[in-house]
């Protein structure tokens, strides 16, 4: 990105690495999850920046068995240091209470979704920004550990790494306050290198913890290249610009975000359907609503909604990363070719596993665990 120093990609990846070498013909790398082997196949491409990937999953575990080249999932978004405080209840106005425990973990909706996608064995790029501080290193290390490709992760000197205060109550519910930091200091115009990664993606995930102007540039570039775009509505309070909505394939809010976006009630499924209809009027063709304990629903304009109940968790410790896990898992299933109903079920299984572990990034499940859960229910 213009005016920013880009972190070098010298780390080891647990998935095959993308290479950009103009003197060599790009390859299609097929990853066999059983044998842990890579097979290089000559694969001519009109997009030399990135090599195409195909996940070749086990036919005994995975419902997706088609061996076809898939371009990467690209997340453009936020990276935060999540400062967790565990409390019995939220403080009242003017009240000071003691926390039972506190710790700082890597998070942010963008980073969460990138790690989740990568842990689900899909090649993933993250485009984002951190500051030149310890929190930036914490996040970078967590992304590397999750196998995310960081060629377009930038370090800025003009702002600290974004952070969030997560107030986690004993029932697993949370309240979060975000400080944007480096997430809000993007250049006015994105570099062509950033947009080229977007244009070569199989699907792009966005959130509202970075400036709308960045999301608009990314969504516009993706739309022009025929790349699907999902916007997670979580983040900033202001209305979503209509220009951004027009470039989306799927908008994914939870109930409260849907109510805030449409200024309509969302207490019942009927109310939710009415609010979604308003989104359709605003130009969004598909709306994926996360309903918490009531599951999820995908609304497609002119069609009956598809409803998915939750897959019950044996325990609920932390719901912080559940929405990001759900959105990322849905995107992975979608780009791999699952039906919409199968995408919802795959995402529900991933979210069910997520809430059983404390922390956002630490709670992201791996692919084998998700598939095993789907087999058992």
């Amino acid at each position: 990105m213009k005016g920013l120093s880009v972190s070098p990609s010298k780390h080891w990846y647990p998935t095959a690495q993308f290479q950009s070498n103009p003197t060599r013909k790009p390859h299609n790398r097929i990853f066999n999850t059983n044998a842990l082997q890579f097979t290089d196949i000559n694969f001519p491409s009109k997009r030399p920046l990135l090599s195409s990937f195909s996940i070749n999953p086990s036919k005994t575990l995975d419902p997706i068995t088609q061996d076809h080249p898939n371009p990467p999932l690209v997340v453009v978004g936020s990276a935060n240091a999540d400062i967790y405080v565990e409390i019995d209840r939220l403080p009242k106005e003017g009240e000071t209470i003691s926390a039972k425990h506190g710790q700082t973990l890597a998070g942010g909706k963008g980073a969460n979704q990138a790690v989740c996608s990568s842990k689900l064995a899909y090649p993933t790029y993250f485009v984002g920004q951190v500051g030149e501080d310890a929190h930036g290193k914490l996040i970078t290390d967590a992304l590397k550990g999750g196998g995310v490709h960081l060629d377009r992760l930038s370090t800025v000197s003009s702002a600290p790494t974004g952070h969030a205060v997560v107030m986690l109550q004993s029932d697993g519910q949370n309240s979060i306050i975000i400080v944007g930091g480096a997430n809000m200091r993007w250049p006015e115009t994105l570099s062509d290198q950033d947009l080229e990664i977007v244009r070569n993606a199989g699907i792009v995930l966005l959130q509202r913890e970075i400036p709308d102007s960045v999301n608009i540039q990314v969504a516009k570039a993706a739309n022009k290249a025929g790349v699907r775009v999902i916007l997670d509505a979580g983040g900033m309070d202001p209305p979503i610009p209509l220009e951004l909505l027009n470039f989306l394939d799927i908008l994914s809010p939870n109930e409260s975000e849907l109510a805030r976006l449409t200024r309509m009630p969302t207490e019942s499924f009927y109310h939710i359907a009415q609010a979604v209809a308003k989104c359709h009027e605003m130009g969004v063709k598909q709306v994926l609503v996360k309903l918490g304990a009531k599951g999820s629903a995908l609304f497609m304009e002119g069609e009956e909604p598809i409803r998915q109940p939750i897959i019950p968790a044996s325990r609920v410790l932390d719901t912080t990363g559940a929405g990001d896990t759900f959105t990322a898992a849905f995107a992975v299933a979608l780009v791999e070719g699952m039906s919409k109903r199968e995408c919802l079920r795959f995402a529900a299984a991933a979210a069910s596993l997520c809430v059983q572990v404390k922390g956002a990034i630490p709670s992201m499940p791996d692919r084998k665990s998700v598939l095993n859960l789907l087999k058992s229910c």
Side-chain angles (χ1 to χ4, degrees):
M1 287 175 247
K2 187 191 299 183
L4 304 176
S5 59
V6 179
S7 303
S9 292
K10 296 182 179 178
H11 53 275
W12 174 84
Y13 296 107
T15 56
Q17 292 191 27
F18 290 93
Q19 294 184 349
S20 180
N21 187 341
T23 65
R24 296 181 59 192
K25 185 179 294 185
H27 290 77
N28 176 38
R29 298 182 184 269
I30 297 178
F31 178 39
N32 186 317
T33 55
N34 291 328
L36 294 179
Q37 294 177 342
F38 295 100
T39 304
D40 284 353
I41 302 174
N42 288 331
F43 186 78
S45 171
K46 294 181 180 179
R47 294 175 174 178
L49 179 66
L50 304 177
S51 298
S52 296
F53 268 71
S54 176
I55 298 173
N56 183 12
S58 165
K59 294 185 178 181
T60 60
L61 285 177
D62 197 334
I64 309 171
T65 59
Q66 297 298 319
D67 291 339
H68 58 279
N70 285 330
L73 185 151
V74 174
V75 180
V76 181
S78 59
N80 291 326
D82 288 344
I83 303 168
Y84 277 81
V85 289
E86 296 183 24
I87 53 179
D88 290 321
R89 60 175 177 83
L90 294 174
K92 298 176 182 178
E93 186 176 350
E95 181 184 25
T96 300
I97 62 174
S98 296
K100 295 184 293 184
H101 181 66
Q103 60 181 327
T104 301
L105 299 171
K109 295 185 73 65
N112 292 344
Q113 292 174 10
V115 171
C116 180
S117 169
S118 182
K119 289 186 71 174
L120 291 173
Y122 199 89
T124 304
Y125 263 80
F126 178 64
V127 183
Q129 300 192 155
V130 296
E132 294 179 337
D133 48 36
H135 285 165
K137 185 178 185 305
L138 172 74
I139 293 165
T140 302
D141 289 347
L143 288 165
K144 287 179 182 178
V148 179
H149 297 280
L150 302 181
D151 300 65
R152 303 311 302 168
L153 175 65
S154 297
T155 302
V156 302
S157 59
S158 59
T161 300
H163 57 279
V165 178
V166 181
M167 293 170 282
L168 180 62
Q169 299 176 69
S170 55
D171 62 357
Q173 299 303 311
N174 63 78
S175 299
I176 304 173
I177 302 171
I178 297 172
V179 181
N183 293 313
M184 304 306 293
R185 296 293 183 90
W186 290 67
E188 207 170 293
T189 302
L190 295 182
S191 71
D192 190 61
Q193 290 93 330
D194 291 332
L195 295 179
E196 186 65 12
I197 286 179
V198 169
R199 289 188 284 264
N200 281 276
I203 197 165
V204 171
L205 288 182
L206 302 173
Q207 322 80 39
R208 298 201 72 211
E209 291 181 347
I210 61 175
D212 284 328
S213 60
V214 175
N215 281 335
I216 290 171
Q217 291 179 66
V218 172
K220 185 176 181 180
N223 182 270
K224 189 174 181 180
V227 177
R228 288 172 290 189
V229 179
I230 298 177
L231 173 68
D232 189 311
M236 295 183 290
D237 284 339
I240 301 175
L242 288 177
E243 183 181 6
L244 176 56
L245 292 175
N246 289 332
F247 292 126
L248 302 181
D249 291 273
I250 300 176
L251 173 67
S252 182
N254 60 26
E255 292 170 278
S256 61
E257 292 158 357
L258 179 62
R260 189 168 70 235
L261 172 65
T262 61
R263 299 183 181 179
M264 297 175 68
T266 56
E267 285 78 17
S268 68
F269 193 79
Y270 170 80
H271 288 131
I272 289 169
Q274 294 300 305
V276 167
K278 186 170 183 179
C279 292
H280 291 327
E281 293 173 4
M282 298 164 69
V284 182
K285 302 299 182 184
Q286 299 182 70
V287 182
L288 175 61
V289 186
K290 299 178 283 277
L291 302 172
K294 293 175 286 186
S296 60
L298 177 62
F299 295 82
M300 295 161 287
E301 190 172 24
E303 301 180 32
E304 286 294 313
I306 304 173
R307 301 183 67 171
Q308 170 64 48
I310 64 166
I311 295 177
S314 59
R315 58 179 182 171
V316 177
L317 294 181
D318 184 2
T319 61
T320 304
D324 294 331
T325 298
F326 183 92
T327 304
F330 182 91
V332 167
L334 185 64
V335 77
E336 287 182 341
M338 284 192 191
S339 70
K340 298 291 178 60
R341 193 174 297 277
E342 290 170 334
C343 290
L344 287 169
R345 191 163 178 265
F346 186 81
S352 177
L353 293 169
C354 169
V355 300
Q356 300 180 50
V357 179
K358 288 183 180 179
I361 285 179
S363 70
M364 302 299 168
D366 59 42
R367 188 180 187 92
K368 184 177 180 181
S369 298
V370 173
L371 297 174
N372 285 341
L373 177 58
L374 287 171
K375 285 180 62 179
S376 68
C377 62

